[in-house]
Amino acid sequence: MPPKGSKKASTHVPPQTLVLDNGAYTLKAGLIPSASANPTYNDCRVLPNCIARSTRDRCSYISSELDGCKDFGELAFRRPVEKGFIVNWEAEKTIWEHEFVEARAGLRCDPRETNLLLTEKPNCPRELQKNCDEIVFEQFEFAAYYRCVGATLNAYHSSDTSSVSSLPQECLLIIDTSYSDTTIIPLYHGRLIQPAVRRLAVGGKLLTNYLKELSSLRHYNMMEETYLLNEIKEAVSFVAPSTAQFSKDLERTWKGRLGNKRELDSSIVVDYVLPDYERSIHGHARPHDPVKSRMRRGLQPLQGPREDLLPQGNERFAVPELLFNPTDIGIQAVGLPGSIIESLNVLPEALKVGMLANVVVVGGNALIEGFMERLEAELRALVPAEYLLNISRADDPVKHTWLGAARFASQPELLKGVLVSKAEYDEKGSAWLAKRFVEGDR
Amino acid sequence: MPHVELLPNSSSAAAPGWTYVVDTGYDPSKVAINPKDRKRAAPRGGPRGENELSARQQTAIARRIAQLERDNDPKQGIAIPGKPSVPKTQNARRIIQYQRQIKHWLDDEEAQMAQQQQAPSSRATAASRAVAQTPRRPSIMPSGPPTPAEATPAQADHAEPEELLLSITSSMPPPLDQTQLQALLSAPPLSYAASHVAPPPAGGPPQRQFCDNCGYWGKIKCLKCGARVCGLECKEAHEATRCLKWA
């Protein structure tokens, strides 16, 4: 039952908003005072959304504590977000409390005096949305709250950086290639066109796991080294510029037949020097040196520094290739350019033209070298020649959705229209809340 | 030639000798019932395409993809460090104590949708359902208006050529239909399963095959399990390690 005085409190909107882009791999969070100046990427903190446990030093690390971790070997992760949706509230609650409630500095805030703007992935099962709403109000007791699909808030980036416009962009096609999957999200005046949302089940997680599997098969057992393989993926992987170039690169990294060995092309093949967690925490890549890698198989010098090398040949480009050819490992789906076209085919012709003229790519996979060039080239080939195609990568693809949300939150008149206060929730319940967030009165 | 047609009869007694059996094509469920029956299973499968996979390979691939898509390692339970704070309400306690994984929630959602389809609620209007249904058939391209490229030369034949060349209306898409737009914007979200992209079209390029061991083109098919390898060296490595998987 709501306390007696809650009616009075409902008119009062707290002056600050916690903007939280709750990703599967990292949380993007920042406190935004209402009516603040234009927020920037610097106001955003990126925190790992996981609880990690090391079997070596028997320590557990919650979210930002990972910064102090000195040994990432055999680190096991517990991630509360699965397939992009918050599933395990036991872990997520611990992380939120650690970062927002109990933290000594940084993002510390009192939820009772703070609004929460929380983003989610599209097509979230309703039961999970309901759980989320109930935890936000009943466990954390945020003063007011709004939950929406994160990509929609990207429409509030104004093209003109000098002026803050409260009007969303008319047509915007967001391609969110993130940790869990890649979603294609067409927006019209900042509203989601639900029937055209498409999801390609290839994301950063799949790529890391695939690289882990390949490296374990070909070199050392790396199945427990998720952190390391993710680091290697980020450091060395690239997308081949075209399918033809992919074949050429594959040829150049081939070892050749028995009795007809080929020299590996050191412009592609690299040796990744693995960290030993004594002198180095992070590894690094350097061009392939056949002499040294042969030495690796034989004897290492007893004195002097030992080093372990993980050669990366066709793994470098065959792994991110899954975004464009998921069938390479048997995933029955068209590639990313085909998915975009599939999504657009749901829309009327005029909207299609508008969407193609304004495509923005967000999400961590966009940082893979060559990704944008390949996507643009393949999409251009699929789009009618007389259509304008404007595709760009957000300045910071990881924080971009957060920044859009922050810009939205910094405008009190926009925020006031969507926020639901705790008093309203106590009075009308979670079913009403879910309906209100779906229909929205924006 | 008289036309001979075998009519399926249900009263066929199992007698020694031979009998007519209704051939309903390749049935993977039969293979699963009697996996030892290799000699007979092969011809029963009929002429299979070069790239078609056996049921066993398909399950192996599906299992592998599921493993690659996993967020959490099911083997390792990582406990929450420190003393957990007390849930403030009964509801919160219940939600925090859930140990379900995403697949359980998605299965729940599917089951609920199936239930709703059997007994459609009176509140949902026919119109909104029609909109929700359209994108569920992603393999068929909607027959939209013809692209401007096709429309332009056809009209130029029997009209004043210059005016048409200068006019931009032909290269403009038809204006937005407001009712269609409203229907699109107000449509309910798709279910998680329905939001996935369609499989590649049947007429498209065939699936690329890679060596199971080194990742080069898979030019040779392993006789035992059907996986691809690139040469003798990789074939040996494959037989030593991976091939047993499907044995």
Side-chain angles (χ1 to χ4, degrees):
Chain A
M1 281 303 285
K4 283 257 161 69
S6 66
K7 270 275 147 59
K8 215 167 152 193
S10 70
T11 51
H12 162 71
V13 173
Q16 65 170 357
T17 305
L18 175 64
V19 176
L20 179 56
D21 182 8
N22 202 81
Y25 183 64
T26 51
L27 298 170
K28 276 73 71 177
L31 283 167
I32 300 294
S34 74
S36 70
N38 211 352
T40 61
Y41 285 131
N42 296 332
D43 299 324
C44 174
R45 283 196 63 195
V46 180
L47 307 160
N49 192 8
C50 62
I51 297 172
R53 169 113 187 134
S54 171
T55 46
R56 295 194 190 179
D57 55 9
R58 297 182 184 281
C59 278
S60 290
Y61 301 90
I62 304 173
S63 192
S64 59
E65 288 176 359
L66 262 181
D67 295 341
C69 183
K70 293 275 181 291
D71 184 349
F72 294 103
E74 294 173 40
L75 203 61
F77 293 96
R78 172 168 175 183
R79 300 191 188 281
V81 176
E82 293 179 34
K83 288 192 196 290
F85 310 122
I86 307 175
V87 172
N88 192 299
W89 271 104
E90 190 189 13
E92 191 65 85
K93 176 176 87 78
T94 310
I95 291 166
W96 283 17
E97 277 174 356
H98 182 265
E99 295 304 326
F100 309 131
V101 183
E102 292 158 9
R104 283 199 199 90
L107 293 167
R108 187 191 168 91
C109 60
D110 179 8
R112 288 188 203 97
E113 286 300 315
T114 312
N115 309 311
L116 175 67
L117 175 56
L118 179 68
T119 69
E120 62 175 3
K121 279 246 167 195
N123 315 102
C124 183
R126 254 180 235 153
E127 286 294 309
L128 288 177
Q129 291 179 326
K130 187 167 155 265
N131 288 351
C132 180
D133 299 343
E134 287 175 2
I135 288 287
V136 163
F137 275 133
E138 297 185 16
Q139 179 65 29
F140 285 92
E141 299 180 329
F142 277 97
Y145 161 61
Y146 180 54
R147 165 177 58 75
C148 68
V149 173
T152 58
L153 298 172
N154 280 315
Y156 292 89
H157 290 287
S158 52
S159 49
D160 179 15
T161 44
S162 59
S163 75
V164 180
S165 156
S166 63
L167 285 177
Q169 293 176 34
E170 186 180 8
C171 283
L172 178 64
L173 184 65
I174 292 288
I175 295 160
D176 182 3
T177 175
S178 62
Y179 181 75
S180 310
D181 50 22
T182 300
T183 42
I184 294 133
I185 303 155
L187 302 173
Y188 182 72
H189 284 298
R191 286 176 67 185
L192 205 58
I193 303 180
Q194 295 277 13
V197 173
R198 283 293 176 276
R199 163 176 276 104
L200 174 65
V202 181
K205 162 188 67 189
L206 185 108
L207 302 186
T208 301
N209 285 343
Y210 185 48
L211 184 63
K212 202 160 77 176
E213 190 197 280
L214 291 183
S215 300
S216 303
L217 175 70
R218 295 173 194 172
H219 307 287
Y220 308 114
N221 182 10
M222 290 284 180
M223 291 315 277
E224 307 298 324
E225 305 287 348
T226 311
Y227 183 90
L228 177 63
L229 269 293
N230 187 53
E231 198 179 78
I232 296 176
K233 178 193 79 175
E234 285 174 8
V236 303
S237 64
F238 68 92
V239 180
S242 65
T243 318
Q245 188 61 38
F246 176 85
S247 315
K248 272 186 205 153
D249 287 350
L250 203 58
E251 212 63 57
R252 282 159 67 193
T253 52
W254 189 38
K255 61 186 185 319
R257 295 191 186 290
L258 266 182
N260 181 21
K261 286 286 175 196
R262 287 197 201 174
E263 200 68 0
L264 294 175
D265 191 334
S266 58
S267 67
I268 295 184
V269 184
V270 295
D271 288 333
Y272 196 86
V273 183
L274 301 177
D276 57 4
Y277 298 121
E278 284 172 15
R279 271 162 293 121
S280 55
I281 302 178
H282 302 286
H284 61 272
R286 65 167 184 230
H288 179 64
D289 183 351
V291 182
K292 278 203 177 143
S293 64
R294 226 170 284 140
M295 211 166 68
R296 177 178 64 86
R297 288 201 201 109
L299 283 169
Q300 291 250 7
L302 288 173
Q303 269 96 43
R306 292 170 59 99
E307 58 180 14
D308 287 316
L309 301 177
L310 187 70
Q312 293 287 311
N314 56 29
E315 297 94 339
R316 285 188 66 194
F317 53 88
V319 170
E321 181 75 12
L322 293 185
L323 284 162
F324 294 89
N325 282 303
T327 49
D328 281 0
I329 58 163
I331 297 176
Q332 288 305 311
V334 289
L336 182 50
S339 314
I340 296 170
I341 297 299
E342 193 189 313
S343 161
L344 289 176
N345 278 340
V346 177
L347 305 178
E349 203 66 19
L351 272 187
K352 218 165 157 181
V353 177
M355 295 291 172
L356 282 168
N358 200 6
V359 186
V360 175
V361 184
V362 300
N365 295 329
L367 293 169
I368 300 175
E369 192 191 326
F371 175 87
M372 290 304 295
E373 291 79 2
R374 172 77 176 272
L375 180 60
E376 182 165 6
E378 289 207 349
L379 196 57
R380 184 70 262 182
L382 291 174
V383 167
E386 64 277 8
Y387 283 13
L388 181 71
L389 174 64
N390 256 332
I391 179 165
S392 62
R393 182 174 74 188
D395 292 332
D396 185 337
V398 174
K399 295 180 184 170
H400 197 69
T401 297
W402 179 87
L403 187 62
R407 290 208 167 125
F408 182 83
S410 67
Q411 296 168 50
E413 70 277 14
L414 279 179
L415 198 61
K416 227 172 204 170
V418 295
L419 279 180
V420 171
S421 70
K422 179 155 188 336
E424 269 179 291
Y425 169 81
D426 286 340
E427 189 183 328
K428 296 176 181 166
S430 58
W432 168 83
L433 186 66
K435 220 173 131 196
R436 159 143 185 187
F437 283 161
V438 167
E439 284 161 7
D441 26 26
R442 265 200 286 152
Chain B
M1 274 287 281
H3 174 70
V4 177
E5 189 179 0
L6 283 170
L7 296 172
N9 56 340
S10 53
S11 64
S12 60
W18 58 274
T19 180
Y20 287 114
V21 174
V22 191
D23 183 9
T24 51
Y26 174 68
D27 184 359
S29 64
K30 294 264 168 57
V31 180
I33 290 167
N34 193 358
K36 292 271 165 58
D37 189 14
R38 267 188 214 162
K39 268 184 201 158
R40 292 181 196 177
R44 201 186 292 148
R48 237 189 273 147
E50 183 67 10
N51 289 328
E52 240 169 278
L53 300 167
S54 70
R56 196 180 295 169
Q57 271 171 302
Q58 273 170 3
T59 33
I61 288 173
R63 193 181 307 140
R64 181 183 178 210
I65 292 171
Q67 232 164 44
L68 290 177
E69 282 186 353
R70 224 169 39 194
D71 294 83
N72 283 298
D73 195 348
K75 274 180 288 182
Q76 283 160 319
I78 298 175
I80 303 291
K83 195 166 67 82
S85 64
V86 187
K88 288 181 183 156
T89 62
Q90 277 300 321
N91 240 347
R93 181 192 304 276
R94 179 178 51 88
I95 292 166
I96 288 163
Q97 279 174 349
Y98 275 137
Q99 291 301 324
R100 310 175 80 192
Q101 291 164 6
I102 184 68
K103 62 170 187 283
H104 303 129
W105 293 106
L106 294 176
D107 288 349
D108 267 13
E109 191 195 26
E110 286 299 296
Q112 258 177 17
M113 300 259 302
Q115 221 169 27
Q116 272 173 9
Q117 268 183 355
Q118 277 175 358
S121 62
S122 54
R123 276 180 300 151
T125 58
S128 73
R129 234 177 300 142
V131 171
Q133 291 297 324
T134 33
R136 300 291 296 271
R137 302 176 280 108
S139 53
I140 303 163
M141 300 271 182
S143 57
T147 53
E150 293 161 352
T152 320
Q155 288 174 350
D157 287 342
H158 49 77
E160 299 210 5
E162 271 179 35
E163 255 180 53
L164 265 171
L165 279 174
L166 288 175
S167 88
I168 54 160
T169 46
S170 61
S171 62
M172 293 273 277
L176 272 178
D177 179 3
Q178 281 306 319
T179 50
Q180 192 190 1
L181 185 67
Q182 279 313 315
L184 276 174
L185 285 173
S186 57
L190 299 175
S191 73
Y192 181 79
S195 69
H196 283 280
V197 294
Q207 187 183 333
R208 302 191 291 188
Q209 304 284 348
F210 295 94
C211 173
D212 192 46
N213 190 48
C214 73
Y216 186 67
W217 300 120
K219 292 175 176 169
I220 306 164
K221 206 170 183 174
C222 170
L223 276 176
K224 287 178 193 149
C225 70
R228 303 292 188 114
V229 288
C230 70
L232 275 178
E233 204 180 351
C234 283
K235 181 171 165 285
E236 275 161 26
H238 164 77
E239 281 177 350
T241 55
R242 304 258 286 180
C243 192
L244 295 170
K245 272 200 163 172
W246 291 335

